[in-house]
Amino acid sequence: MSEKFIPNITTELRKDIVKVPEIIDEASGIIIFGKKIKSIIFTTDIAIIRNTNANAVIAVYPFTPHPAITKSIIEAADIPVFSGVGGGLTQGTRASYMSLFAEAQGSIGVVLNGPTPLDTVQAVCNVVDIPVVSTVTSKYTLIDEKIEAGVKIINISAGKETADTVRHFRKIYPELPIMATGGPTEESIRETIEAGANAITYTPPSNGKLFSKKMDFYREKERSEFKNHIKNEQK
């Protein structure tokens, strides 16, 4: 049976977007509040967030979470946002307040770092009505008590060991929603999906790299136009 035709509507101003690898469509997805999420772009760059075909964004960053950052990302995004609320340096009451703020602003979920102590996990799970996501960095991460405390999704980011780590936790938790980094190639993404990941986080090129590519295009266009100009003058 042939695939159904899918109409694709865009404009000249909006066609140049950051596209996630198509292989991610093979993931089962995670349905959250009626929205199926397969691809999650990992960035805090508002320009990229506004110009991507990813299903959602995971906005975590290596600084103390701040309401101004969360607010700006959620207001700019036109896709669901998983907001980082701490767990490393930011713990206890502050993490709870950040979680409440993220939910009030419209986050679809909150993300806690791997080192988050159990009491902070419990505190966050007790105050929000959106999924709490716990980051897993290796197969040695202790998550049993965190799941019992209310964690609904794990986010596996274990570098080259990600697929093996997904496989490890999928065996222990057959129905646990798992999002995971897919790596840089289609092969690594497929391996992560086949290992049991329901959704894939994708790290886009930096704004600088994207701009460099566009500037190369502009330079080539100018070079071509200049050559055509010279030819026309010589006629």
Side-chain angles (χ1 to χ4, degrees):
M1 183 178 178
S2 60
E3 293 185 3
K4 290 183 178 180
F5 169 71
I6 302 176
N8 183 12
I9 299 173
T10 188
T11 66
E12 284 298 313
L13 297 179
R14 297 174 185 245
K15 68 178 183 179
D16 190 15
I17 64 174
V18 176
K19 296 182 179 180
V20 300
E22 292 184 4
I23 189 69
I24 295 178
D25 282 338
E26 294 186 8
S28 66
I30 302 171
I31 298 176
I32 304 177
F33 305 132
K35 299 179 177 68
K36 180 179 284 189
I37 295 172
K38 294 185 178 184
S39 56
I40 307 165
I41 197 162
F42 172 42
T43 182
T44 54
D45 190 307
I46 292 175
I48 291 176
I49 291 170
R50 287 291 302 184
N51 293 276
T52 182
N53 68 339
N55 302 142
V57 56
I58 182 167
V60 296
Y61 42 92
F63 309 104
T64 300
H66 194 282
I69 298 174
T70 303
K71 181 174 183 289
S72 298
I73 291 171
I74 293 172
E75 286 184 348
D78 55 1
I79 53 177
V81 177
F82 292 93
S83 298
V85 293
L89 291 176
T90 307
Q91 300 179 6
T93 302
R94 183 174 177 87
S96 298
Y97 287 164
M98 279 298 305
S99 300
L100 278 172
F101 181 87
E103 179 181 9
Q105 288 298 315
S107 291
I108 199 171
V110 292
V111 184
L112 291 169
N113 293 333
T116 307
L118 183 59
D119 58 349
T120 297
V121 174
Q122 292 171 330
V124 171
C125 291
N126 286 339
V127 299
V128 297
D129 190 43
I130 53 178
V132 176
V133 183
S134 183
T135 300
V136 169
T137 56
S138 78
K139 64 178 64 176
Y140 305 108
T141 301
L142 300 176
I143 64 168
D144 295 9
E145 291 183 333
K146 293 181 180 180
I147 292 174
E148 290 179 8
V151 164
K152 299 297 183 184
I153 303 170
I154 61 172
N155 171 41
I156 297 179
S157 180
K160 295 180 180 179
E161 304 298 322
T162 293
D164 285 339
T165 304
V166 170
R167 197 172 292 112
H168 171 78
F169 284 106
R170 175 55 71 216
K171 185 176 181 180
I172 300 172
Y173 297 100
E175 297 182 356
L176 177 66
I178 296 176
M179 59 174 69
T181 54
T185 67
E186 284 198 0
E187 290 74 18
S188 62
I189 293 172
R190 178 177 283 110
E191 182 184 6
T192 304
I193 293 171
E194 291 177 349
N198 303 107
I200 296 295
T201 60
Y202 169 71
T203 303
S206 69
N207 208 335
K209 287 185 178 179
L210 292 170
F211 220 108
S212 177
K213 184 178 179 180
K214 180 156 286 190
M215 293 303 293
D216 286 342
F217 171 77
Y218 290 157
R219 294 186 190 102
E220 184 58 36
K221 183 178 179 181
E222 287 181 347
R223 189 179 297 111
S224 177
E225 289 175 348
F226 178 77
K227 289 180 179 179
N228 288 334
H229 175 72
I230 297 297
K231 287 180 180 179
N232 291 332
E233 283 192 339
Q234 292 175 345
K235 289 183 180 179

